[in-house]
Amino acid sequence: MYLFHILNFSSKVTVKQRQNFGTVEFFWSSFSCLLFLIGASVLAGYLGCTNFNSYICRSRLAADICGFSSAILYLVDAYNLRSHRPNWHSAPPPNR
């Protein structure tokens, strides 16, 4: 998904497909944020280090920081893509 975003894939498709791709990209960012947040939280809960003198504890801490950072970045991306989220609660336009 991120590779399609970098390659500007959405500008190479029609308007309807661009809106669909934006919706998929919004859901991808939201889901990825949730997964990284859960993973980093679980890793922080089971870190099991009292001091960070060993390489294993420092590498686990670095992985946890990277997980939380990735969750924040995906959250920012989802916030920027919020205009592409579907609006399921709106009423259909009246027929005239």
Side-chain angles (χ1 to χ4, degrees):
M1 266 325 206
Y2 192 64
L3 185 62
F4 283 145
H5 184 75
I6 289 174
L7 295 174
N8 205 9
F9 176 74
S10 63
S11 68
K12 296 177 175 78
V13 294
T14 63
V15 175
K16 181 64 177 164
Q17 290 172 338
R18 187 177 310 148
Q19 184 66 27
N20 290 342
F21 181 72
T23 302
V24 169
E25 196 173 12
F26 170 76
F27 281 119
W28 176 265
S29 294
S30 302
F31 187 65
S32 297
C33 173
L34 183 68
L35 286 179
F36 271 102
L37 189 63
I38 290 171
S41 299
V42 167
L43 183 61
Y46 291 106
L47 199 55
C49 295
T50 56
N51 58 11
F52 294 98
N53 294 334
S54 67
Y55 173 77
I56 297 209
C57 288
R58 286 189 302 233
S59 65
R60 287 180 186 167
L61 180 64
D64 201 28
I65 290 171
C66 288
F68 279 117
S69 300
S70 296
I72 290 170
L73 290 174
Y74 273 115
L75 181 67
V76 168
D77 190 34
Y79 181 77
N80 288 334
L81 291 168
R82 70 187 180 277
S83 63
H84 294 290
R85 67 178 181 240
N87 189 3
W88 290 313
H89 301 292
S90 65
N95 293 332
R96 292 185 184 213

Coordinates of all heavy atoms in Angstrom, one line a residue:
M1 N 0.8 -1.2 0.0 CA 0.0 0.0 0.0 C 0.9 1.2 0.0 O 0.6 2.2 -0.7 CB -0.9 0.0 1.2 CG -2.2 -0.5 1.1 SD -2.9 -0.2 -0.5 CE -4.5 -0.3 -0.1
Y2 N 1.9 1.2 0.9 CA 2.7 2.4 1.0 C 3.5 2.6 -0.3 O 3.7 3.7 -0.8 CB 3.7 2.3 2.1 CG 4.4 3.6 2.5 CD1 3.6 4.7 2.9 CD2 5.7 3.7 2.3 CE1 4.3 5.9 3.2 CE2 6.4 4.9 2.6 CZ 5.6 6.0 3.1 OH 6.3 7.1 3.3
L3 N 3.9 1.5 -1.0 CA 4.6 1.6 -2.3 C 3.7 2.2 -3.3 O 4.1 3.1 -4.1 CB 5.1 0.2 -2.7 CG 5.9 0.2 -4.0 CD1 7.2 1.0 -3.8 CD2 6.2 -1.3 -4.3
F4 N 2.4 1.8 -3.4 CA 1.4 2.4 -4.3 C 1.3 3.9 -4.0 O 1.1 4.7 -4.9 CB 0.1 1.7 -4.2 CG 0.0 0.4 -4.9 CD1 -0.8 -0.6 -4.4 CD2 0.7 0.2 -6.0 CE1 -0.9 -1.8 -5.0 CE2 0.6 -1.1 -6.7 CZ -0.2 -2.1 -6.1
H5 N 1.3 4.3 -2.7 CA 1.1 5.7 -2.4 C 2.3 6.5 -2.8 O 2.2 7.6 -3.3 CB 0.9 5.8 -0.9 CG 0.7 7.2 -0.4 ND1 -0.5 7.8 -0.6 CD2 1.5 8.1 0.2 CE1 -0.4 9.0 -0.1 NE2 0.8 9.2 0.4
I6 N 3.5 5.9 -2.6 CA 4.7 6.6 -3.1 C 4.8 6.8 -4.6 O 5.2 7.8 -5.1 CB 6.0 5.9 -2.5 CG1 6.1 6.1 -1.0 CG2 7.3 6.4 -3.2 CD1 7.2 5.3 -0.4
L7 N 4.4 5.7 -5.3 CA 4.4 5.8 -6.7 C 3.3 6.6 -7.3 O 3.1 6.6 -8.6 CB 4.4 4.3 -7.3 CG 5.6 3.5 -7.0 CD1 5.4 2.1 -7.4 CD2 6.9 4.1 -7.6
N8 N 2.5 7.2 -6.5 CA 1.4 8.0 -6.9 C 0.4 7.3 -7.8 O -0.1 7.7 -8.8 CB 1.9 9.3 -7.6 CG 0.9 10.4 -7.5 OD1 -0.1 10.3 -6.8 ND2 1.2 11.5 -8.2
F9 N 0.1 6.1 -7.3 CA -0.8 5.2 -8.1 C -2.2 5.8 -8.2 O -2.9 5.6 -9.3 CB -0.9 3.8 -7.4 CG -1.9 2.9 -8.0 CD1 -1.6 2.2 -9.2 CD2 -3.1 2.6 -7.4 CE1 -2.5 1.4 -9.8 CE2 -4.0 1.7 -8.0 CZ -3.7 1.1 -9.1
S10 N -2.7 6.5 -7.2 CA -4.0 7.0 -7.3 C -4.2 8.1 -8.4 O -5.4 8.3 -8.8 CB -4.4 7.6 -5.9 OG -3.6 8.7 -5.6
S11 N -3.2 8.7 -8.8 CA -3.4 9.7 -9.9 C -3.4 9.1 -11.3 O -3.8 9.7 -12.2 CB -2.2 10.7 -9.9 OG -1.0 10.1 -10.2
K12 N -3.1 7.8 -11.4 CA -3.1 7.1 -12.6 C -4.4 6.3 -12.9 O -4.5 5.7 -13.9 CB -1.9 6.1 -12.7 CG -0.6 6.8 -12.6 CD 0.6 5.9 -12.6 CE 1.9 6.5 -12.6 NZ 2.3 7.1 -11.4
V13 N -5.3 6.4 -12.0 CA -6.6 5.7 -12.2 C -7.7 6.8 -12.4 O -7.5 7.9 -12.1 CB -6.9 4.7 -11.1 CG1 -5.9 3.6 -11.1 CG2 -6.9 5.4 -9.8
T14 N -8.9 6.3 -12.7 CA -10.0 7.2 -12.9 C -10.5 7.8 -11.6 O -10.1 7.3 -10.5 CB -11.2 6.5 -13.6 OG1 -11.6 5.4 -12.8 CG2 -10.8 5.9 -15.0
V15 N -11.4 8.7 -11.6 CA -11.9 9.4 -10.4 C -12.6 8.4 -9.4 O -12.3 8.4 -8.2 CB -12.8 10.6 -10.8 CG1 -13.4 11.2 -9.5 CG2 -12.1 11.6 -11.6
K16 N -13.4 7.6 -9.9 CA -14.1 6.6 -9.1 C -13.2 5.6 -8.4 O -13.2 5.3 -7.3 CB -15.2 5.9 -9.9 CG -16.0 4.9 -9.1 CD -16.8 5.6 -8.0 CE -17.7 4.5 -7.2 NZ -18.2 5.0 -6.0
Q17 N -12.2 5.1 -9.2 CA -11.2 4.2 -8.7 C -10.3 4.9 -7.7 O -9.8 4.3 -6.8 CB -10.4 3.5 -9.8 CG -11.3 2.6 -10.6 CD -10.5 2.1 -11.9 OE1 -9.6 2.8 -12.3 NE2 -10.9 1.0 -12.4
R18 N -10.0 6.2 -7.9 CA -9.2 6.9 -7.0 C -9.8 7.1 -5.7 O -9.2 6.9 -4.6 CB -8.9 8.3 -7.6 CG -7.9 9.1 -6.8 CD -7.5 10.4 -7.4 NE -7.2 10.3 -8.8 CZ -7.5 11.2 -9.8 NH1 -8.1 12.3 -9.4 NH2 -7.2 11.0 -11.0
Q19 N -11.1 7.3 -5.7 CA -11.9 7.4 -4.4 C -11.9 6.0 -3.7 O -11.7 6.0 -2.5 CB -13.3 7.9 -4.6 CG -14.1 8.1 -3.4 CD -13.6 9.2 -2.5 OE1 -13.0 10.1 -3.0 NE2 -13.8 9.1 -1.2
N20 N -12.0 4.9 -4.4 CA -12.0 3.6 -3.9 C -10.6 3.3 -3.3 O -10.5 2.7 -2.2 CB -12.4 2.5 -4.9 CG -13.9 2.6 -5.2 OD1 -14.7 3.2 -4.5 ND2 -14.2 2.0 -6.3
F21 N -9.6 3.7 -4.0 CA -8.2 3.4 -3.6 C -7.9 4.3 -2.3 O -7.3 3.8 -1.4 CB -7.2 3.8 -4.6 CG -5.8 3.6 -4.2 CD1 -5.3 2.3 -4.1 CD2 -4.9 4.6 -3.9 CE1 -4.0 2.1 -3.7 CE2 -3.6 4.4 -3.5 CZ -3.1 3.1 -3.4
G22 N -8.5 5.5 -2.2 CA -8.3 6.3 -1.0 C -9.0 5.7 0.2 O -8.5 5.7 1.3
T23 N -10.2 5.1 -0.1 CA -10.9 4.4 1.0 C -10.1 3.2 1.5 O -10.0 3.0 2.7 CB -12.3 3.9 0.5 OG1 -13.0 5.1 0.1 CG2 -13.1 3.3 1.6
V24 N -9.6 2.4 0.6 CA -8.8 1.2 1.0 C -7.5 1.7 1.7 O -7.1 1.1 2.7 CB -8.4 0.4 -0.3 CG1 -7.4 -0.7 0.0 CG2 -9.6 -0.2 -0.9
E25 N -6.9 2.8 1.3 CA -5.7 3.3 1.9 C -6.0 3.8 3.3 O -5.2 3.6 4.3 CB -5.1 4.4 1.1 CG -3.7 4.7 1.4 CD -3.1 5.7 0.4 OE1 -3.8 6.3 -0.4 OE2 -1.9 5.9 0.5
F26 N -7.2 4.4 3.5 CA -7.6 4.9 4.8 C -7.8 3.7 5.8 O -7.3 3.7 6.9 CB -8.9 5.7 4.8 CG -9.5 6.0 6.1 CD1 -9.0 6.9 6.9 CD2 -10.6 5.2 6.5 CE1 -9.5 7.2 8.2 CE2 -11.2 5.5 7.8 CZ -10.6 6.5 8.6
F27 N -8.5 2.6 5.3 CA -8.7 1.5 6.2 C -7.4 0.7 6.5 O -7.1 0.2 7.6 CB -9.7 0.5 5.6 CG -11.1 0.9 5.8 CD1 -11.9 1.2 4.7 CD2 -11.6 1.1 7.0 CE1 -13.2 1.6 4.9 CE2 -12.9 1.5 7.3 CZ -13.7 1.7 6.2
W28 N -6.5 0.7 5.5 CA -5.2 0.1 5.7 C -4.4 0.8 6.8 O -3.8 0.2 7.6 CB -4.4 0.1 4.4 CG -3.0 -0.4 4.5 CD1 -1.8 0.3 4.7 CD2 -2.6 -1.8 4.5 NE1 -0.8 -0.5 4.8 CE2 -1.2 -1.8 4.6 CE3 -3.3 -3.0 4.3 CZ2 -0.5 -3.0 4.6 CZ3 -2.5 -4.2 4.3 CH2 -1.2 -4.2 4.5
S29 N -4.4 2.2 6.7 CA -3.6 3.0 7.7 C -4.3 2.8 9.1 O -3.5 2.7 10.1 CB -3.6 4.4 7.3 OG -2.9 4.6 6.1
S30 N -5.6 2.8 9.2 CA -6.2 2.6 10.5 C -5.9 1.3 11.1 O -5.6 1.1 12.3 CB -7.7 2.8 10.3 OG -8.0 4.1 9.8
F31 N -6.0 0.2 10.3 CA -5.8 -1.1 10.7 C -4.3 -1.3 11.1 O -4.0 -2.0 12.1 CB -6.2 -2.1 9.6 CG -6.2 -3.6 10.1 CD1 -7.0 -4.0 11.0 CD2 -5.3 -4.4 9.5 CE1 -7.0 -5.4 11.4 CE2 -5.2 -5.8 9.9 CZ -6.1 -6.2 10.8
S32 N -3.4 -0.8 10.3 CA -2.0 -0.9 10.7 C -1.7 -0.1 11.9 O -0.9 -0.6 12.8 CB -1.2 -0.3 9.5 OG -1.4 -1.1 8.4
C33 N -2.3 1.0 12.2 CA -2.1 1.7 13.4 C -2.5 0.9 14.6 O -1.8 0.8 15.6 CB -2.8 3.1 13.4 SG -2.8 4.0 14.9
L34 N -3.7 0.3 14.5 CA -4.2 -0.6 15.5 C -3.3 -1.8 15.8 O -3.0 -2.1 17.0 CB -5.6 -1.0 15.2 CG -6.3 -1.9 16.2 CD1 -6.6 -1.0 17.4 CD2 -7.6 -2.5 15.6
L35 N -2.8 -2.4 14.7 CA -1.9 -3.6 14.9 C -0.6 -3.2 15.6 O -0.1 -3.9 16.4 CB -1.7 -4.3 13.6 CG -2.9 -5.1 13.0 CD1 -2.5 -5.7 11.7 CD2 -3.3 -6.1 14.0
F36 N 0.0 -2.1 15.1 CA 1.3 -1.7 15.7 C 1.1 -1.3 17.1 O 2.0 -1.5 18.0 CB 1.9 -0.5 14.9 CG 2.8 -1.0 13.8 CD1 2.4 -1.0 12.5 CD2 4.1 -1.4 14.0 CE1 3.2 -1.4 11.4 CE2 4.9 -1.9 13.0 CZ 4.5 -1.9 11.7
L37 N 0.0 -0.6 17.4 CA -0.2 -0.2 18.8 C -0.4 -1.4 19.7 O 0.1 -1.4 20.8 CB -1.5 0.7 18.9 CG -1.7 1.4 20.2 CD1 -0.6 2.4 20.5 CD2 -3.0 2.2 20.1
I38 N -1.2 -2.4 19.3 CA -1.4 -3.6 20.1 C 0.0 -4.3 20.3 O 0.3 -4.8 21.4 CB -2.4 -4.5 19.5 CG1 -3.8 -3.8 19.6 CG2 -2.4 -5.9 20.1 CD1 -4.9 -4.5 18.8
G39 N 0.7 -4.5 19.2 CA 2.0 -5.2 19.2 C 3.0 -4.5 20.1 O 3.7 -5.2 20.9
A40 N 3.1 -3.2 20.1 CA 4.0 -2.5 20.9 C 3.6 -2.5 22.4 O 4.4 -2.6 23.3 CB 4.2 -1.0 20.4
S41 N 2.3 -2.5 22.6 CA 1.8 -2.5 24.0 C 2.1 -3.9 24.6 O 2.5 -4.0 25.8 CB 0.3 -2.2 24.0 OG 0.1 -1.0 23.6
V42 N 1.9 -5.0 23.8 CA 2.1 -6.3 24.3 C 3.6 -6.5 24.6 O 4.0 -7.0 25.6 CB 1.6 -7.4 23.3 CG1 2.1 -8.8 23.7 CG2 0.1 -7.4 23.3
L43 N 4.5 -6.0 23.7 CA 5.9 -6.1 23.9 C 6.4 -5.3 25.1 O 7.2 -5.7 25.8 CB 6.6 -5.6 22.6 CG 8.2 -5.7 22.6 CD1 8.6 -7.1 22.8 CD2 8.8 -5.1 21.4
A44 N 5.7 -4.1 25.3 CA 6.1 -3.4 26.5 C 5.7 -4.1 27.8 O 6.4 -4.0 28.8 CB 5.4 -2.0 26.4
G45 N 4.5 -4.8 27.7 CA 4.1 -5.5 28.9 C 4.9 -6.7 29.3 O 5.1 -7.0 30.4
Y46 N 5.5 -7.3 28.3 CA 6.3 -8.5 28.5 C 7.8 -8.2 28.3 O 8.6 -9.1 28.0 CB 5.9 -9.7 27.6 CG 4.5 -10.2 27.9 CD1 3.4 -9.9 27.1 CD2 4.3 -11.0 29.0 CE1 2.2 -10.4 27.4 CE2 3.1 -11.5 29.3 CZ 2.0 -11.2 28.6 OH 0.8 -11.7 28.9
L47 N 8.2 -7.0 28.5 CA 9.6 -6.7 28.3 C 10.5 -7.4 29.2 O 11.5 -8.0 28.9 CB 9.8 -5.1 28.4 CG 11.0 -4.5 27.9 CD1 11.2 -4.8 26.4 CD2 11.0 -3.0 28.1
G48 N 10.1 -7.4 30.5 CA 10.8 -8.3 31.5 C 12.3 -7.9 31.8 O 13.0 -8.7 32.2
C49 N 12.6 -6.6 31.7 CA 14.0 -6.2 31.9 C 13.9 -5.2 33.1 O 13.2 -4.2 33.1 CB 14.6 -5.5 30.7 SG 14.8 -6.6 29.3
T50 N 14.8 -5.4 34.1 CA 14.9 -4.5 35.2 C 15.9 -3.4 34.9 O 15.8 -2.3 35.4 CB 15.3 -5.2 36.5 OG1 16.5 -6.0 36.3 CG2 14.2 -6.2 36.9
N51 N 17.0 -3.7 34.2 CA 17.9 -2.7 33.8 C 18.3 -3.0 32.3 O 18.0 -4.1 31.8 CB 19.2 -2.8 34.6 CG 19.9 -4.1 34.6 OD1 19.6 -5.0 33.8 ND2 20.9 -4.3 35.5
F52 N 18.8 -2.0 31.6 CA 19.1 -2.2 30.2 C 20.6 -2.2 29.9 O 21.1 -1.5 29.0 CB 18.4 -1.0 29.5 CG 16.9 -1.1 29.6 CD1 16.2 -0.3 30.5 CD2 16.2 -1.9 28.8 CE1 14.8 -0.4 30.6 CE2 14.8 -2.0 28.9 CZ 14.1 -1.2 29.8
N53 N 21.3 -3.0 30.7 CA 22.7 -3.2 30.4 C 23.0 -4.2 29.4 O 24.1 -4.2 28.8 CB 23.4 -3.6 31.8 CG 23.4 -2.4 32.8 OD1 23.3 -1.3 32.4 ND2 23.4 -2.8 34.0
S54 N 22.1 -5.2 29.2 CA 22.3 -6.2 28.2 C 21.8 -5.8 26.8 O 20.9 -5.0 26.7 CB 21.7 -7.5 28.6 OG 20.3 -7.4 28.6
Y55 N 22.4 -6.4 25.8 CA 22.0 -6.1 24.4 C 20.6 -6.5 24.2 O 19.8 -5.8 23.5 CB 23.0 -6.9 23.5 CG 22.5 -6.8 22.0 CD1 22.7 -5.6 21.3 CD2 21.9 -7.8 21.4 CE1 22.3 -5.5 20.0 CE2 21.5 -7.8 20.1 CZ 21.7 -6.6 19.4 OH 21.3 -6.5 18.1
I56 N 20.1 -7.7 24.7 CA 18.8 -8.1 24.5 C 17.7 -7.1 25.0 O 16.8 -6.8 24.3 CB 18.6 -9.5 25.1 CG1 19.5 -10.5 24.5 CG2 17.1 -10.0 25.1 CD1 19.2 -11.9 24.4
C57 N 18.0 -6.6 26.2 CA 17.0 -5.6 26.8 C 17.0 -4.3 25.9 O 15.9 -3.8 25.7 CB 17.3 -5.3 28.2 SG 16.9 -6.7 29.3
R58 N 18.2 -3.9 25.5 CA 18.2 -2.7 24.7 C 17.6 -2.9 23.4 O 16.9 -2.0 22.8 CB 19.6 -2.2 24.6 CG 20.2 -1.6 25.8 CD 21.5 -1.0 25.6 NE 22.4 -2.0 25.0 CZ 23.6 -2.3 25.5 NH1 24.1 -1.6 26.5 NH2 24.4 -3.2 25.0
S59 N 17.7 -4.0 22.7 CA 17.1 -4.3 21.4 C 15.6 -4.4 21.6 O 14.9 -4.0 20.7 CB 17.7 -5.5 20.8 OG 17.4 -6.7 21.5
R60 N 15.1 -5.0 22.6 CA 13.7 -5.1 22.9 C 13.1 -3.7 23.1 O 12.0 -3.4 22.6 CB 13.4 -5.9 24.1 CG 13.5 -7.4 23.8 CD 13.2 -8.2 25.0 NE 13.5 -9.6 24.8 CZ 13.6 -10.5 25.8 NH1 13.3 -10.1 27.1 NH2 13.9 -11.7 25.6
L61 N 13.8 -2.8 23.8 CA 13.3 -1.5 24.0 C 13.3 -0.7 22.7 O 12.4 0.0 22.4 CB 14.2 -0.8 25.1 CG 13.8 0.7 25.4 CD1 12.5 0.7 26.0 CD2 14.9 1.3 26.3
A62 N 14.3 -0.9 21.9 CA 14.4 -0.2 20.6 C 13.2 -0.7 19.7 O 12.6 0.1 19.0 CB 15.7 -0.5 19.9
A63 N 12.9 -2.0 19.7 CA 11.8 -2.5 18.9 C 10.5 -1.9 19.4 O 9.6 -1.6 18.6 CB 11.8 -4.0 19.0
D64 N 10.4 -1.8 20.7 CA 9.1 -1.2 21.3 C 9.0 0.2 20.9 O 7.9 0.7 20.5 CB 9.2 -1.4 22.8 CG 7.8 -1.3 23.4 OD1 6.8 -1.7 22.7 OD2 7.7 -0.9 24.6
I65 N 10.1 1.0 20.9 CA 10.0 2.4 20.5 C 9.6 2.5 19.0 O 8.8 3.4 18.6 CB 11.3 3.1 20.8 CG1 11.5 3.2 22.4 CG2 11.4 4.5 20.2 CD1 12.8 3.7 22.8
C66 N 10.2 1.6 18.2 CA 9.9 1.6 16.8 C 8.4 1.3 16.5 O 7.8 1.8 15.7 CB 10.8 0.7 16.0 SG 12.5 1.3 15.9
G67 N 7.9 0.4 17.3 CA 6.5 0.0 17.2 C 5.5 1.1 17.5 O 4.6 1.4 16.8
F68 N 5.8 1.8 18.6 CA 5.0 3.0 19.0 C 5.1 4.1 18.0 O 4.1 4.8 17.6 CB 5.3 3.5 20.4 CG 4.7 2.7 21.5 CD1 5.4 2.0 22.4 CD2 3.3 2.6 21.6 CE1 4.9 1.3 23.4 CE2 2.7 1.9 22.6 CZ 3.5 1.2 23.5
S69 N 6.3 4.3 17.5 CA 6.5 5.3 16.5 C 5.8 5.0 15.2 O 5.2 5.9 14.6 CB 8.0 5.5 16.2 OG 8.7 5.9 17.3
S70 N 5.8 3.8 14.8 CA 5.1 3.3 13.6 C 3.6 3.5 13.8 O 2.9 3.9 12.8 CB 5.4 1.9 13.2 OG 6.7 1.7 12.9
A71 N 3.1 3.2 15.0 CA 1.6 3.4 15.2 C 1.3 4.9 15.1 O 0.2 5.2 14.6 CB 1.3 2.9 16.6
I72 N 2.1 5.7 15.6 CA 1.8 7.2 15.6 C 1.9 7.7 14.1 O 1.0 8.4 13.7 CB 2.8 8.0 16.4 CG1 2.5 7.7 17.9 CG2 2.8 9.5 16.1 CD1 3.6 8.2 18.9
L73 N 2.8 7.2 13.3 CA 2.9 7.6 11.9 C 1.7 7.1 11.1 O 1.2 7.8 10.3 CB 4.2 7.1 11.3 CG 5.4 7.8 11.8 CD1 6.7 7.1 11.2 CD2 5.4 9.3 11.5
Y74 N 1.2 5.9 11.4 CA 0.0 5.4 10.7 C -1.2 6.1 11.1 O -2.1 6.4 10.3 CB -0.2 3.9 10.9 CG 0.6 3.0 9.9 CD1 1.6 2.2 10.3 CD2 0.2 3.0 8.6 CE1 2.3 1.4 9.4 CE2 0.9 2.2 7.7 CZ 1.9 1.4 8.1 OH 2.6 0.6 7.2
L75 N -1.2 6.6 12.4 CA -2.4 7.4 12.9 C -2.4 8.7 12.1 O -3.4 9.2 11.7 CB -2.3 7.6 14.4 CG -3.4 8.4 15.0 CD1 -4.7 7.6 14.9 CD2 -3.0 8.7 16.5
V76 N -1.2 9.3 12.0 CA -1.2 10.6 11.2 C -1.6 10.4 9.8 O -2.3 11.2 9.2 CB 0.3 11.2 11.3 CG1 0.5 12.3 10.3 CG2 0.6 11.6 12.7
D77 N -1.2 9.3 9.2 CA -1.6 9.0 7.8 C -3.1 8.8 7.7 O -3.7 9.3 6.8 CB -0.8 7.8 7.3 CG -1.0 7.6 5.8 OD1 -1.1 8.5 5.1 OD2 -1.0 6.4 5.4
A78 N -3.7 8.1 8.6 CA -5.1 7.9 8.6 C -5.8 9.2 8.8 O -6.9 9.4 8.2 CB -5.5 6.9 9.7
Y79 N -5.3 10.1 9.7 CA -5.9 11.4 9.9 C -5.9 12.2 8.6 O -6.8 12.9 8.3 CB -5.2 12.1 11.0 CG -5.8 13.5 11.3 CD1 -7.0 13.6 12.0 CD2 -5.2 14.6 10.9 CE1 -7.5 14.8 12.3 CE2 -5.7 15.9 11.1 CZ -6.9 16.0 11.8 OH -7.4 17.2 12.1
N80 N -4.8 12.1 7.9 CA -4.7 12.8 6.6 C -5.6 12.3 5.5 O -6.0 13.0 4.6 CB -3.3 12.9 6.1 CG -2.4 13.8 6.9 OD1 -2.8 14.7 7.5 ND2 -1.1 13.4 7.0
L81 N -5.9 11.0 5.6 CA -6.8 10.3 4.6 C -8.3 10.3 5.1 O -9.1 9.6 4.5 CB -6.3 8.9 4.4 CG -5.0 8.8 3.7 CD1 -4.5 7.3 3.8 CD2 -5.2 9.2 2.2
R82 N -8.6 11.0 6.1 CA -10.0 11.0 6.7 C -11.0 11.4 5.7 O -12.2 11.0 5.8 CB -10.1 11.8 8.0 CG -10.0 13.2 7.8 CD -9.9 14.0 9.1 NE -9.9 15.4 8.9 CZ -8.8 16.1 8.7 NH1 -7.6 15.4 8.6 NH2 -8.8 17.4 8.5
S83 N -10.7 12.2 4.7 CA -11.7 12.6 3.7 C -12.1 11.5 2.8 O -13.1 11.6 2.1 CB -11.1 13.8 2.8 OG -10.0 13.4 2.1
H84 N -11.3 10.4 2.8 CA -11.6 9.2 1.9 C -12.4 8.2 2.6 O -12.8 7.2 2.0 CB -10.3 8.6 1.4 CG -9.5 9.5 0.5 ND1 -10.0 9.8 -0.8 CD2 -8.4 10.1 0.6 CE1 -9.1 10.5 -1.4 NE2 -8.1 10.8 -0.5
R85 N -12.7 8.3 3.9 CA -13.4 7.3 4.6 C -14.9 7.4 4.1 O -15.4 8.4 3.8 CB -13.3 7.5 6.1 CG -14.0 8.7 6.6 CD -13.9 8.8 8.1 NE -14.6 10.1 8.5 CZ -14.0 11.1 9.1 NH1 -12.8 11.0 9.5 NH2 -14.7 12.1 9.5
P86 N -15.5 6.2 4.1 CA -16.9 6.2 3.6 C -17.9 6.8 4.6 O -17.7 6.7 5.8 CB -17.2 4.7 3.4 CG -16.2 4.0 4.3 CD -15.0 4.9 4.4
N87 N -18.9 7.4 4.1 CA -19.9 8.0 4.9 C -21.2 7.1 4.9 O -22.0 7.3 4.0 CB -20.2 9.4 4.5 CG -21.1 10.2 5.4 OD1 -21.5 9.6 6.5 ND2 -21.5 11.4 5.0
W88 N -21.3 6.2 5.8 CA -22.4 5.2 5.8 C -23.7 5.8 6.4 O -24.7 5.2 6.4 CB -22.0 4.0 6.5 CG -21.0 3.2 5.7 CD1 -21.0 2.9 4.4 CD2 -19.8 2.6 6.2 NE1 -19.9 2.1 4.1 CE2 -19.1 2.0 5.2 CE3 -19.2 2.6 7.5 CZ2 -18.0 1.3 5.3 CZ3 -18.0 1.9 7.6 CH2 -17.4 1.2 6.5
H89 N -23.6 6.9 7.1 CA -24.7 7.4 7.9 C -25.5 8.5 7.2 O -26.4 9.0 7.7 CB -24.2 7.9 9.2 CG -23.5 6.9 10.1 ND1 -24.2 5.8 10.6 CD2 -22.3 6.7 10.4 CE1 -23.3 5.0 11.2 NE2 -22.1 5.6 11.1
S90 N -25.1 8.9 6.0 CA -25.8 9.9 5.3 C -27.0 9.4 4.5 O -27.0 8.2 4.1 CB -24.9 10.7 4.3 OG -24.5 9.8 3.3
A91 N -28.0 10.2 4.5 CA -29.3 9.8 3.8 C -29.0 10.0 2.3 O -28.3 10.9 1.8 CB -30.4 10.6 4.2
P92 N -29.7 9.2 1.4 CA -29.5 9.3 0.0 C -30.2 10.6 -0.4 O -31.1 11.1 0.2 CB -30.3 8.1 -0.6 CG -31.1 7.6 0.5 CD -30.5 8.0 1.8
P93 N -29.7 11.2 -1.5 CA -30.3 12.5 -2.0 C -31.7 12.3 -2.4 O -32.1 11.2 -3.0 CB -29.4 12.9 -3.2 CG -28.7 11.7 -3.6 CD -28.6 10.8 -2.4
P94 N -32.6 13.3 -2.2 CA -34.0 13.1 -2.6 C -34.1 13.1 -4.2 O -33.4 13.8 -4.9 CB -34.7 14.3 -2.0 CG -33.6 15.3 -1.8 CD -32.3 14.6 -1.6
N95 N -35.1 12.3 -4.6 CA -35.4 12.3 -6.1 C -36.2 13.5 -6.5 O -37.2 13.8 -5.9 CB -36.1 11.0 -6.5 CG -35.2 9.8 -6.2 OD1 -34.0 9.9 -6.3 ND2 -35.8 8.6 -5.9
R96 N -35.8 14.1 -7.6 CA -36.6 15.2 -8.1 C -36.9 15.0 -9.5 O -36.4 14.4 -10.3 CB -35.8 16.5 -8.0 CG -35.6 16.9 -6.5 CD -34.9 18.2 -6.5 NE -34.6 18.5 -5.1 CZ -34.6 19.6 -4.5 NH1 -34.9 20.7 -5.3 NH2 -34.4 19.8 -3.3

